[in-house]
PDB file of all heavy atoms in Angstrom:
ATOM      1  N   GLU A  30     164.857  73.605  68.238  1.00  0.00           N
ATOM      2  CA  GLU A  30     165.793  74.615  67.732  1.00  0.00           C
ATOM      3  C   GLU A  30     167.236  74.094  67.766  1.00  0.00           C
ATOM      4  O   GLU A  30     168.010  74.296  66.819  1.00  0.00           O
ATOM      5  CB  GLU A  30     165.673  75.891  68.559  1.00  0.00           C
ATOM      6  CG  GLU A  30     166.542  77.032  68.060  1.00  0.00           C
ATOM      7  CD  GLU A  30     166.347  78.305  68.857  1.00  0.00           C
ATOM      8  OE1 GLU A  30     165.399  78.361  69.677  1.00  0.00           O
ATOM      9  OE2 GLU A  30     167.144  79.249  68.669  1.00  0.00           O
ATOM     10  N   LYS A  31     167.586  73.421  68.847  1.00  0.00           N
ATOM     11  CA  LYS A  31     168.933  72.858  68.989  1.00  0.00           C
ATOM     12  C   LYS A  31     169.225  71.849  67.883  1.00  0.00           C
ATOM     13  O   LYS A  31     170.290  71.898  67.238  1.00  0.00           O
ATOM     14  CB  LYS A  31     169.059  72.191  70.358  1.00  0.00           C
ATOM     15  CG  LYS A  31     170.319  71.377  70.564  1.00  0.00           C
ATOM     16  CD  LYS A  31     170.269  70.675  71.912  1.00  0.00           C
ATOM     17  CE  LYS A  31     171.420  69.695  72.072  1.00  0.00           C
ATOM     18  NZ  LYS A  31     171.351  68.986  73.375  1.00  0.00           N
ATOM     19  N   PHE A  32     168.290  70.932  67.650  1.00  0.00           N
ATOM     20  CA  PHE A  32     168.504  69.910  66.629  1.00  0.00           C
ATOM     21  C   PHE A  32     168.497  70.505  65.221  1.00  0.00           C
ATOM     22  O   PHE A  32     169.184  70.010  64.325  1.00  0.00           O
ATOM     23  CB  PHE A  32     167.457  68.815  66.742  1.00  0.00           C
ATOM     24  CG  PHE A  32     167.685  67.862  67.891  1.00  0.00           C
ATOM     25  CD1 PHE A  32     166.625  67.191  68.468  1.00  0.00           C
ATOM     26  CD2 PHE A  32     168.959  67.638  68.382  1.00  0.00           C
ATOM     27  CE1 PHE A  32     166.831  66.296  69.526  1.00  0.00           C
ATOM     28  CE2 PHE A  32     169.183  66.759  69.434  1.00  0.00           C
ATOM     29  CZ  PHE A  32     168.118  66.090  70.002  1.00  0.00           C
ATOM     30  N   ASP A  33     167.727  71.568  65.028  1.00  0.00           N
ATOM     31  CA  ASP A  33     167.726  72.195  63.707  1.00  0.00           C
ATOM     32  C   ASP A  33     169.062  72.896  63.449  1.00  0.00           C
ATOM     33  O   ASP A  33     169.594  72.848  62.333  1.00  0.00           O
ATOM     34  CB  ASP A  33     166.574  73.186  63.588  1.00  0.00           C
ATOM     35  CG  ASP A  33     166.387  73.680  62.167  1.00  0.00           C
ATOM     36  OD1 ASP A  33     166.423  72.843  61.245  1.00  0.00           O
ATOM     37  OD2 ASP A  33     166.227  74.898  61.974  1.00  0.00           O
ATOM     38  N   ASP A  34     169.607  73.531  64.470  1.00  0.00           N
ATOM     39  CA  ASP A  34     170.917  74.179  64.325  1.00  0.00           C
ATOM     40  C   ASP A  34     172.002  73.157  64.002  1.00  0.00           C
ATOM     41  O   ASP A  34     172.892  73.411  63.180  1.00  0.00           O
ATOM     42  CB  ASP A  34     171.284  74.928  65.610  1.00  0.00           C
ATOM     43  CG  ASP A  34     170.468  76.192  65.810  1.00  0.00           C
ATOM     44  OD1 ASP A  34     169.892  76.687  64.814  1.00  0.00           O
ATOM     45  OD2 ASP A  34     170.395  76.685  66.945  1.00  0.00           O
ATOM     46  N   ARG A  35     171.936  71.995  64.643  1.00  0.00           N
ATOM     47  CA  ARG A  35     172.982  70.992  64.477  1.00  0.00           C
ATOM     48  C   ARG A  35     172.780  70.110  63.249  1.00  0.00           C
ATOM     49  O   ARG A  35     173.739  69.775  62.553  1.00  0.00           O
ATOM     50  CB  ARG A  35     173.050  70.089  65.721  1.00  0.00           C
ATOM     51  CG  ARG A  35     173.569  70.777  66.966  1.00  0.00           C
ATOM     52  CD  ARG A  35     173.721  69.763  68.081  1.00  0.00           C
ATOM     53  NE  ARG A  35     174.221  70.384  69.305  1.00  0.00           N
ATOM     54  CZ  ARG A  35     174.458  69.707  70.438  1.00  0.00           C
ATOM     55  NH1 ARG A  35     174.231  68.396  70.479  1.00  0.00           N
ATOM     56  NH2 ARG A  35     174.909  70.331  71.499  1.00  0.00           N
ATOM     57  N   TYR A  36     171.515  69.716  63.011  1.00  0.00           N
ATOM     58  CA  TYR A  36     171.268  68.688  62.000  1.00  0.00           C
ATOM     59  C   TYR A  36     170.283  69.095  60.908  1.00  0.00           C
ATOM     60  O   TYR A  36     169.947  68.288  60.053  1.00  0.00           O
ATOM     61  CB  TYR A  36     170.746  67.411  62.687  1.00  0.00           C
ATOM     62  CG  TYR A  36     171.586  66.958  63.848  1.00  0.00           C
ATOM     63  CD1 TYR A  36     171.060  66.905  65.138  1.00  0.00           C
ATOM     64  CD2 TYR A  36     172.916  66.577  63.666  1.00  0.00           C
ATOM     65  CE1 TYR A  36     171.825  66.475  66.214  1.00  0.00           C
ATOM     66  CE2 TYR A  36     173.699  66.150  64.735  1.00  0.00           C
ATOM     67  CZ  TYR A  36     173.144  66.110  66.006  1.00  0.00           C
ATOM     68  OH  TYR A  36     173.906  65.696  67.060  1.00  0.00           O
ATOM     69  N   ARG A  37     169.779  70.320  60.970  1.00  0.00           N
ATOM     70  CA  ARG A  37     168.837  70.836  59.963  1.00  0.00           C
ATOM     71  C   ARG A  37     167.597  69.947  59.853  1.00  0.00           C
ATOM     72  O   ARG A  37     167.186  69.550  58.752  1.00  0.00           O
ATOM     73  CB  ARG A  37     169.529  70.968  58.609  1.00  0.00           C
ATOM     74  CG  ARG A  37     170.706  71.936  58.595  1.00  0.00           C
ATOM     75  CD  ARG A  37     171.167  72.198  57.181  1.00  0.00           C
ATOM     76  NE  ARG A  37     170.135  72.891  56.419  1.00  0.00           N
ATOM     77  CZ  ARG A  37     170.118  72.956  55.088  1.00  0.00           C
ATOM     78  NH1 ARG A  37     171.056  72.346  54.380  1.00  0.00           N
ATOM     79  NH2 ARG A  37     169.159  73.608  54.466  1.00  0.00           N
ATOM     80  N   VAL A  38     166.971  69.665  60.981  1.00  0.00           N
ATOM     81  CA  VAL A  38     165.796  68.789  60.967  1.00  0.00           C
ATOM     82  C   VAL A  38     164.578  69.461  60.325  1.00  0.00           C
ATOM     83  O   VAL A  38     163.611  68.787  59.971  1.00  0.00           O
ATOM     84  CB  VAL A  38     165.432  68.317  62.397  1.00  0.00           C
ATOM     85  CG1 VAL A  38     166.538  67.463  62.980  1.00  0.00           C
ATOM     86  CG2 VAL A  38     165.126  69.504  63.313  1.00  0.00           C
ATOM     87  N   LEU A  39     164.614  70.787  60.174  1.00  0.00           N
ATOM     88  CA  LEU A  39     163.506  71.502  59.544  1.00  0.00           C
ATOM     89  C   LEU A  39     163.792  71.843  58.090  1.00  0.00           C
ATOM     90  O   LEU A  39     163.057  72.624  57.477  1.00  0.00           O
ATOM     91  CB  LEU A  39     163.202  72.792  60.326  1.00  0.00           C
ATOM     92  CG  LEU A  39     162.691  72.606  61.751  1.00  0.00           C
ATOM     93  CD1 LEU A  39     162.471  73.960  62.408  1.00  0.00           C
ATOM     94  CD2 LEU A  39     161.412  71.787  61.788  1.00  0.00           C
ATOM     95  N   ALA A  40     164.838  71.256  57.534  1.00  0.00           N
ATOM     96  CA  ALA A  40     165.174  71.519  56.133  1.00  0.00           C
ATOM     97  C   ALA A  40     164.030  71.078  55.222  1.00  0.00           C
ATOM     98  O   ALA A  40     163.275  70.155  55.532  1.00  0.00           O
ATOM     99  CB  ALA A  40     166.457  70.786  55.756  1.00  0.00           C
ATOM    100  N   SER A  41     163.907  71.741  54.088  1.00  0.00           N
ATOM    101  CA  SER A  41     162.862  71.381  53.126  1.00  0.00           C
ATOM    102  C   SER A  41     163.152  70.016  52.523  1.00  0.00           C
ATOM    103  O   SER A  41     164.280  69.512  52.588  1.00  0.00           O
ATOM    104  CB  SER A  41     162.790  72.433  52.016  1.00  0.00           C
ATOM    105  OG  SER A  41     163.984  72.399  51.249  1.00  0.00           O
ATOM    106  N   ARG A  42     162.150  69.451  51.901  1.00  0.00           N
ATOM    107  CA  ARG A  42     162.340  68.158  51.248  1.00  0.00           C
ATOM    108  C   ARG A  42     163.409  68.246  50.164  1.00  0.00           C
ATOM    109  O   ARG A  42     164.245  67.336  50.019  1.00  0.00           O
ATOM    110  CB  ARG A  42     161.016  67.679  50.651  1.00  0.00           C
ATOM    111  CG  ARG A  42     161.136  66.351  49.914  1.00  0.00           C
ATOM    112  CD  ARG A  42     159.788  65.872  49.430  1.00  0.00           C
ATOM    113  NE  ARG A  42     159.914  64.620  48.692  1.00  0.00           N
ATOM    114  CZ  ARG A  42     158.884  63.950  48.185  1.00  0.00           C
ATOM    115  NH1 ARG A  42     157.655  64.421  48.337  1.00  0.00           N
ATOM    116  NH2 ARG A  42     159.074  62.817  47.532  1.00  0.00           N
ATOM    117  N   GLY A  43     163.405  69.342  49.432  1.00  0.00           N
ATOM    118  CA  GLY A  43     164.404  69.515  48.383  1.00  0.00           C
ATOM    119  C   GLY A  43     165.818  69.559  48.936  1.00  0.00           C
ATOM    120  O   GLY A  43     166.743  68.969  48.368  1.00  0.00           O
TER     121      GLY A  43
END
Side-chain angles (χ1 to χ4, degrees):
E30 184 177 350
K31 171 185 172 181
F32 284 153
D33 190 45
D34 287 341
R35 291 186 180 181
Y36 310 118
R37 299 190 65 197
V38 296
L39 295 178
S41 66
R42 178 176 178 178

